[in-house]
């Protein structure tokens, strides 16, 4: 019997479109001799629905978008769970939900309650990695170097803007980056070189989240490492996007056709092995399982600064994460999906040995 693979995509998130692009690529690449794919679309309002089983032939983003029959999120989720996801036989869930309400532990918690295997990180690691402020505390505890930073909640900002501006200018300095604490894909992030830009950037970040992080800029290269596995994770060769942008924002990441990948990144002796070690250390410090991409800065003195860890990195066939694995050990895109499914099943089976009664 083939395994039923429930692919969740879309989501109540500003990264909705990124998720759709990921889902198209994944559905094109699934081995239909081993898996029956069941697409589950989550609207921007959090409604769950399905376009039904789809053929790979002519599959597009537009065909993935379904029209929900139910307008209540709880009822729509119940309909999917009691119908499609209650079908008999082996099953695995593949969440392709970037950002809030999907990559932050919320959907993972639901899947834990359903006791089904699912690809990617669990509740705690998903929540930690998406919340940049909490992640930085974990990294500090693990002794991993980061740039100078501070976190700020909306109520703190509203209560004493003068004190926070003073702290930023005296401790962080310019240029600095203002980031919503719990978003990815560089959405809502601003590079600030003076107080006017800082005020604008803080306002922008707070429109996406009620907590933000402000970081000192590191003048150096951006290097990424893909990590894969559960208890004994592996790190890929490091990769780098070659570009001439001062700030690698959303438009640059997804729309600049001039971007070029350098994999492996051209690094001095010893730096490659060190950054792979640091990537695994950060991965394990967050309790990650399945996959993550770990992003670093390398300054002119050869010092590594961990920027952030992404528990559900971009996953189209031209995204850095799968390409790094292909160039590290020859793993194809479809093989990578199967490895991730294998790690999900292994983790689920291990959990079944846990006792819940005395």
């Amino acid at each position: 019997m083939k395994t039923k693979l429930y692919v969740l995509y879309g989501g109540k998130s500003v990264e909705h479109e990124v998720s759709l692009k990921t889902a198209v690529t994944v559905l094109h690449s699934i081995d239909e001799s081993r898996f029956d794919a069941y697409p589950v679309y989550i609207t921007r309002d959090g409604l769950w629905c399905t376009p039904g089983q789809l053929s790979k032939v002519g599959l597009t983003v537009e065909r993935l978008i379904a029209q929900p029959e139910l307008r209540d999120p709880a009822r729509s989720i119940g309909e999917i769970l009691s119908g499609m996801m209650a079908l008999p036989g082996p099953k695995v869930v593949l969440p392709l939900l970037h950002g809030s309400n999907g990559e932050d532990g919320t959907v993972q918690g639901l899947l834990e309650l359903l006791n089904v295997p699912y690809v990617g990180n669990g509740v705690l690691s998903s929540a930690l990695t998406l919340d940049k402020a909490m992640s930085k505390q974990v990294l500090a505890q693990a002794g991993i170097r980061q740039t100078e930073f501070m976190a700020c909640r909306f109520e703190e900002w509203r209560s004493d803007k003068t004190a926070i501006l003073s702290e930023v200018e005296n401790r962080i300095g310019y240029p600095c980056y203002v980031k919503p604490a719990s978003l990815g894909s560089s959405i809502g992030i601003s590079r600030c070189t003076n107080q006017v830009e800082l005020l604008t950037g803080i306002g922008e970040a707070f429109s996406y989240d009620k907590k933000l992080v402000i970081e000192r800029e590191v003048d150096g290269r951006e290097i990424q490492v893909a990590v894969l596995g559960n208890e004994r994770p592996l790190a890929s060769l490091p990769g780098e996007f070659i570009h001439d942008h001062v700030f690698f924002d959303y438009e640059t990441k997804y729309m600049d056709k001039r971007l070029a990948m350098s994999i492996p990144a051209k690094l001095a002796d010893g730096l490659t092995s060190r950054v792979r070690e640091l990537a695994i250390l950060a991965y394990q410090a967050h309790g990650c399982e399945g996959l993550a991409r770990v992003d670093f800065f390398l300054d002119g003195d050869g010092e590594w600064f961990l920027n952030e860890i992404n528990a559900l990195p971009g996953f189209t066939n031209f995204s850095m994460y799968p390409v790094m694995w292909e160039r590290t050990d020859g793993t194809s895109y479809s093989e990578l999906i199967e490895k991730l499914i294998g790690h999900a099943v292994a983790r689920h089976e291990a959990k079944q040995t846990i006792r819940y009664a005395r």
Side-chain angles (χ1 to χ4, degrees):
M1 181 181 293
K2 290 194 286 185
T3 298
K4 294 173 179 62
L5 185 65
Y6 299 99
V7 182
L8 311 184
Y9 58 91
K12 190 177 179 180
S13 167
V14 294
E15 298 182 72
H16 188 97
E17 291 90 350
V18 179
S19 175
L20 290 170
K21 292 177 182 178
T22 301
V24 167
T25 312
V26 168
L27 288 166
H28 268 299
S29 304
I30 289 170
D31 183 351
E32 293 178 322
S33 69
R34 298 189 58 198
F35 302 99
D36 283 328
Y38 291 83
V40 178
Y41 173 57
I42 303 174
T43 72
R44 295 178 184 278
D45 297 322
L47 301 170
W48 291 39
C49 52
T50 178
Q53 287 189 272
L54 300 171
S55 168
K56 292 182 181 181
V57 179
L59 184 60
T60 63
V61 165
E62 290 71 27
R63 290 184 61 197
L64 288 180
I65 298 175
Q67 296 302 318
E69 295 180 2
L70 299 170
R71 294 293 167 179
D72 176 69
R75 291 184 63 201
S76 70
I77 294 172
E79 187 77 10
I80 292 292
L81 296 183
S82 62
M84 179 188 294
M85 292 182 68
L87 295 173
K91 62 192 67 174
V92 178
V93 179
L94 178 52
L96 301 176
L97 301 163
H98 296 285
S100 52
N101 300 297
E103 194 183 344
D104 56 0
T106 51
V107 167
Q108 290 75 15
L110 173 63
L111 298 175
E112 289 285 351
L113 292 175
L114 295 175
N115 195 33
V116 294
Y118 60 93
V119 170
N121 288 276
V123 176
L124 179 59
S125 53
S126 295
L128 276 177
T129 52
L130 193 63
D131 187 324
K132 294 178 179 65
M134 294 303 299
S135 176
K136 287 181 176 297
Q137 293 187 41
V138 171
L139 293 169
Q141 183 68 28
I144 299 174
R145 185 193 299 266
Q146 306 169 77
T147 188
E148 188 72 25
F149 73 93
M150 59 180 283
C152 176
R153 295 182 179 275
F154 180 69
E155 286 301 320
E156 295 173 323
W157 171 247
R158 189 167 63 175
S159 298
D160 199 344
K161 296 179 183 180
T162 301
I164 290 170
L165 287 174
S166 177
E167 183 176 2
V168 173
E169 295 183 331
N170 292 326
R171 185 158 70 85
I172 307 297
Y174 299 113
C176 64
Y177 286 87
V178 181
K179 304 178 178 182
S182 298
L183 275 184
S185 295
S186 298
I187 295 171
I189 298 179
S190 300
R191 181 178 185 267
C192 308
T193 61
N194 55 56
Q195 189 176 103
V196 173
E197 292 178 351
L198 178 61
L199 287 166
T200 302
I202 288 173
E204 174 76 359
F206 275 136
S207 73
Y208 289 103
D209 200 347
K210 295 306 177 187
K211 181 168 64 173
L212 56 77
V213 170
I214 304 173
E215 303 171 350
R216 179 184 298 164
E217 181 177 75
V218 177
D219 184 12
R221 298 161 63 187
E222 298 177 61
I223 305 293
Q224 305 178 359
V225 179
V227 184
L228 173 71
N230 293 345
E231 296 297 326
R232 297 179 180 179
L234 301 174
S236 74
L237 292 170
E240 178 180 19
F241 277 114
I242 306 301
H243 62 90
D244 56 4
H245 298 273
V246 174
F247 173 31
F248 201 40
D249 59 9
Y250 181 90
E251 284 71 24
T252 302
K253 284 183 176 181
Y254 296 106
M255 301 176 190
D256 189 344
K257 303 300 183 184
R258 300 171 298 165
L259 285 179
M261 293 180 184
S262 176
I263 306 171
K266 295 177 175 60
L267 299 171
D269 291 345
L271 289 177
T272 294
S273 58
R274 179 54 179 161
V275 77
R276 295 174 84 178
E277 292 171 359
L278 287 171
I280 290 176
L281 179 60
Y283 188 87
Q284 293 178 319
H286 286 80
C288 291
E289 294 176 298
L291 78 162
R293 193 193 69 231
V294 191
D295 300 345
F296 295 87
F297 293 118
L298 177 64
D299 73 5
D301 297 323
E303 296 289 344
W304 289 111
F305 294 81
L306 199 148
N307 179 25
E308 61 185 44
I309 180 167
N310 191 324
L312 185 59
F315 209 85
T316 63
N317 51 6
F318 55 83
S319 297
M320 183 67 89
Y321 185 93
V323 176
M324 280 193 285
W325 278 115
E326 192 277 329
R327 298 188 187 176
T328 296
D329 59 11
T331 299
S332 69
Y333 189 90
S334 58
E335 289 170 338
L336 183 57
I337 293 172
E338 293 195 19
K339 284 186 178 183
L340 290 168
I341 292 171
H343 289 310
V345 172
R347 178 181 63 187
H348 180 73
E349 289 177 348
K351 285 186 175 180
Q352 304 316 300
T353 65
I354 296 173
R355 293 173 55 181
Y356 295 99
R358 296 176 62 184

